[in-house]
Amino acid sequence: MSKILVTGGTGYIGSHTVVELLESGYETVVVDNLSNSTAGVINGIEGITGIRPVFVKADCTDKNAIHKILKTERNVMGIIHFAASKSVGESLSKPLTYYRNNIDSLLTLLELMPEFNVKGLVFSSSCTVYGRPDLMPVGEDAPVKKAESPYGNTKQIGEEIIRDAIGSDVSYKSIILRYFNPIGAHPSAKIGELPNGVPQNLVPFLTQTAAGIHKELRVFGDDYSTPDGSCIRDYINVVDLAKAHVTAIGRMLENSDCKPLEYYNLGTGKGFSVLELIHTFENVTGVKVPYKIAGRRVGDIEQIWADPRRANEILGWKAVETLENTLRSAWKWQQAISNL
Ligand code: NAD
Ligand code: WQD
């Protein structure tokens, strides 16, 4: 089976994807600078799969280091590029760090791919590129709106860089995956999300509140034009999301129907409100989550959910996990890390 370089492979989505790749018979080379994860994640991956993936601590902005890895590893067929700085809020206070890290990493990989005959790159993009969509659900042809944060801009610029590179008739292909809201953890609770500092995202803050780490969860707004007044998102199970990468890499490397550049939305196609999510969590875990209604969070959009039909039909991938099971997995993971 092909060898895949996974950048950011000890991170949240990357680690779940390495598990799915290994379980599908791929060989993986994990590269991460550990800026937002720990090397211990490799033990979790080994604990699930029985395989210890090759891990190299390196920074994707360091061209010499990546060159050396591609040379040593030989015949890397594809790259899945997760490595990036990902906090919307932090990107507003450290824009240059975000541009340097996210853009430079991508350029490094794209520049090196032809030399090592790497056939394709899967890029982690985000539903953030759609901004405030005019029509719901959001399909891949919806307009890309002006980014509201440097982080979002790095995803838009990254997509444009890939489009221009492919347009120059390079030897490789690319698949751009736009994730909606990834949540949950591997059902084994051996890997999951390890937020740095106080989490800004809803589910890790919720599970930490349920574990007593925070006094209460603030619900950012109950006066939106939605049935219960709180915002609506498309929450996608991280294992489902990881599996989409395996189908994408298979299509890109082995299916001649795959175009030089393809875009896919990865979501469930169903939206849930913040309040629905909290109440679902309480029902499936039996744990009460203290929360209060707070003001709207600046920059939040009212509602967004995916039209995932292209991924369903062309990749043959579909999100199958229920919100209930996904929240159970998030709670099991929170309990596992609380006991460390
Ligand atoms: P994460 O922070 O858990 O994982 C990213 C990993 O990349 C981390 O382990 C970090 O140490 C590593 N990294 C960062 N910069 C690096 C560099 N220069 N060289 C090597 N390693 C580097 O984040 P995640 O949630 O797993 O996100 C993965 C990708 O998906 C990111 O590109 C992110 O922008 C994108 N994405 C995430 C979400 C989300 O809500 N989690 C949504 C949409 C898109
Ligand atoms: C979800 C909902 C909040 C925290 C972000 C990025 C996006 C993408 C995914 C990377 C919203 C509400 C949250 C809290 C709350 N990442 N909320 N109380 O904002 O949809 O998307 O992560 O590409 O680019 O912007 O995710 O989890 O922060 O919020 O009420 O303490 O939960 O208002 O409606 P978001 P989130």
Side-chain angles (χ1 to χ4, degrees):
M1 249 313 195
S2 309
K3 192 186 272 192
I4 310 298
L5 183 80
V6 185
T7 76
T10 48
Y12 174 43
I13 307 168
S15 57
H16 289 80
T17 302
V18 172
V19 165
E20 297 305 317
L21 286 166
L22 293 171
E23 290 187 337
S24 303
Y26 285 96
E27 217 182 307
T28 59
V29 178
V30 174
V31 173
D32 202 297
N33 66 0
L34 304 181
S35 57
N36 197 35
S37 57
T38 65
V41 171
I42 296 293
N43 298 333
I45 294 171
E46 185 181 13
I48 296 167
T49 62
I51 303 167
R52 192 163 185 86
V54 171
F55 169 63
V56 186
K57 182 176 181 230
D59 195 303
C60 293
T61 64
D62 181 344
K63 198 167 178 182
N64 290 334
I66 304 301
H67 188 279
K68 193 170 157 204
I69 293 166
L70 287 167
K71 195 169 170 189
T72 312
E73 285 300 327
R74 292 180 187 180
N75 55 52
V76 166
M77 297 297 286
I79 298 178
I80 308 184
H81 182 40
F82 292 104
S85 307
K86 68 159 179 178
S87 162
V88 173
E90 188 185 52
S91 78
L92 291 162
S93 58
K94 296 181 183 167
L96 299 185
T97 307
Y98 272 65
Y99 285 114
R100 170 66 74 196
N101 198 36
N102 294 5
I103 304 300
D104 220 356
S105 302
L106 177 63
L107 290 174
T108 301
L109 298 171
L110 294 176
E111 282 173 358
L112 290 173
M113 284 169 68
E115 182 179 343
F116 292 95
N117 209 12
V118 182
K119 303 280 178 222
L121 177 120
V122 173
F123 179 63
S124 294
S125 190
S126 167
C127 67
T128 191
V129 301
Y130 298 118
R132 279 166 217 281
D134 305 317
L135 287 174
M136 300 293 295
V138 187
E140 290 83 353
D141 296 328
V144 166
K145 299 276 181 69
K146 186 176 167 9
E148 293 196 12
S149 70
Y151 166 75
N153 211 15
T154 66
K155 292 299 171 190
Q156 294 192 3
I157 296 170
E159 290 196 2
E160 285 173 5
I161 289 171
I162 294 171
R163 190 196 60 205
D164 290 345
I166 298 286
S168 72
D169 201 20
V170 281
S171 52
Y172 51 81
K173 295 182 177 182
S174 182
I175 290 186
I176 291 175
L177 300 177
R178 293 172 174 159
Y179 314 152
F180 281 66
N181 286 58
I183 61 165
H186 194 271
S188 66
K190 290 184 194 295
I191 55 171
E193 188 169 11
L194 274 175
N196 216 342
V198 178
Q200 306 300 309
N201 293 116
L202 176 61
V203 170
F205 196 93
L206 181 153
T207 57
Q208 288 192 0
T209 307
I213 297 169
H214 309 291
K215 191 164 107 305
E216 62 192 4
L217 167 71
R218 287 175 300 156
V219 173
F220 296 135
D222 70 345
D223 56 353
Y224 286 98
S225 300
T226 58
D228 65 20
S230 64
C231 292
I232 295 178
R233 296 288 183 274
D234 186 336
Y235 295 97
I236 166 87
N237 177 283
V238 69
V239 176
D240 275 344
L241 185 67
K243 287 180 176 158
H245 293 75
V246 180
T247 57
I249 206 95
R251 175 173 171 83
M252 197 172 62
L253 300 182
E254 282 145 38
N255 188 335
S256 56
D257 289 346
C258 183
K259 298 190 187 72
L261 178 60
E262 295 186 346
Y263 298 81
Y264 295 97
N265 281 346
L266 298 181
T268 66
K270 195 168 164 23
F272 285 96
S273 74
V274 175
L275 289 169
E276 280 176 323
L277 187 141
I278 296 171
H279 295 140
T280 306
F281 178 88
E282 291 182 330
N283 285 340
V284 298
T285 62
V287 181
K288 276 269 165 231
V289 180
Y291 71 86
K292 71 163 186 203
I293 306 297
R296 294 182 176 196
R297 184 171 71 176
V298 176
D300 268 343
I301 56 167
E302 182 173 280
Q303 46 188 320
I304 183 166
W305 64 93
D307 178 348
R309 277 178 300 176
R310 188 187 284 180
N312 299 164
E313 287 158 19
I314 301 179
L315 291 182
W317 167 88
K318 200 171 186 333
V320 292
E321 205 46 270
T322 60
L323 182 66
E324 284 81 359
N325 270 342
T326 304
L327 291 173
R328 272 191 201 100
S329 73
W331 181 229
K332 192 172 167 193
W333 168 246
Q334 178 64 54
Q335 290 173 299
I337 49 179
S338 297
N339 291 332
L340 283 181

